[in-house]
Amino acid sequence: MHTRKPNAVFFVLEGLNGLAVPYFNSYIYFLLRDRYGFGNLGNLSVSALGGFAYMLAAWQGGRFAQRFGYSKSLQIGFGGLVACLALGAVAASLPAVLLVFIGWTVTVCFTWPTLEALVSDGVGDDVLPKNIGVYNVIWSGGAAVTYFVGGALYETLGHASIFWLPALIHGCQFLIVLCLGPQPERAADSEPTAPPHPPEAAAFAQPVSPQVFLRMGWLAIPFSYIAITTLIAVIPALSQTLGLSTAEAGLFCSIWMFARLGTFVVLWRWTGWHYRFRWLLGAYIGLMAGFSMLLLSTNLGRLAAAQVIFGASVGLIYYSSLFYSMDVGQTKGEHGGLHEAMIGAGMCLGPAAGALSVCLASDYPNAGVYTVTALLAGGLAGLIRLRIRRAP
């Protein structure tokens, strides 16, 4: 889709996605706790199942958008989300709700890679960093606000609101895409309006190539989502331990999301971190420290500080993966799909490891935390090894 409507339209679509997707994706675990009695084991298992589906579907969603066009991909995505959530609003049995969750997970993969590509494909060297910065600020701002008020919405509007409220938003998105009019059906075959985009000059002043930074970003992002998805899945049980209601959990446990949003703003305005390994390394160490503090401490002050560290760390890791995906190479849709597929890998592996630990070491309440932290340590070793191997 090189024949463009204004970028503002794509940012509007992204902002609406940033409001609708986190509400369902985060508060379904409260629904599973309240309606079906799920604890950490059940929620982690469901989260791992969703991550596995996301990992497979995201890559194919990016390839679909690259091959058949961004408009068609968004129409399928938003229309499919409405259908899945409408079914969820009337579903009563647990198998039906889980089927809706998997269908929703697959369908949402037609949206995020496409939106990432839309704000990046065919733009000039000076515009790309700005567009990616605005993109990150918009979706993370929507996620933070949604989680902040989502607990109150969940308690006020009822459990079913996690289905019908996002469905209304996705319906609006579907209508907006239809109003954009016909677009080229095959993005890969369209005639570009801008010359091929090379990586920025800073990429060639480093001891490793831009492609290595791309690989390091793709290595780090699944491990950050190992931590994120594990955290979101256990927050319902953690809030009970802390004596927090659902509304209070939404208020307090959104601190890390606002920290991530603030980090995105800083990284958008200051680009000195581009192609600097030490920043990525520092963020990864902060990820491990913040995650461990979050799940091992019961002091609210320490939990708030841990959330700030955690949010800043995952912000830089996510930004690195997305920026390098869009800055290196020409197939933005496919690279967006691979970026999201790496996220899906982390969304699967982290909760799966946590659930397995709960099963095998039920007498040790912190076994899941230690297992996931060990996984993160393995990722740190891989990141350092990749950097050393690729050095001249």
Side-chain angles (χ1 to χ4, degrees), residues 303-324:
L303 285 172
Q307 286 193 68
V308 173
I309 296 171
F310 185 79
S313 300
V314 299
L316 194 146
I317 291 173
Y318 181 93
Y319 209 134
S320 297
S321 177
L322 181 58
F323 176 75
Y324 298 143

Side-chain angles (χ1 to χ4, degrees), residues 333-371:
E334 189 167 346
H335 272 196
L338 286 170
H339 163 78
E340 294 294 332
M342 294 300 102
I343 290 175
M347 291 167 62
C348 175
L349 186 58
L356 185 61
S357 298
V358 172
C359 287
L360 298 180
S362 57
D363 295 335
Y364 300 92
N366 293 324
V369 181
Y370 298 139
T371 301

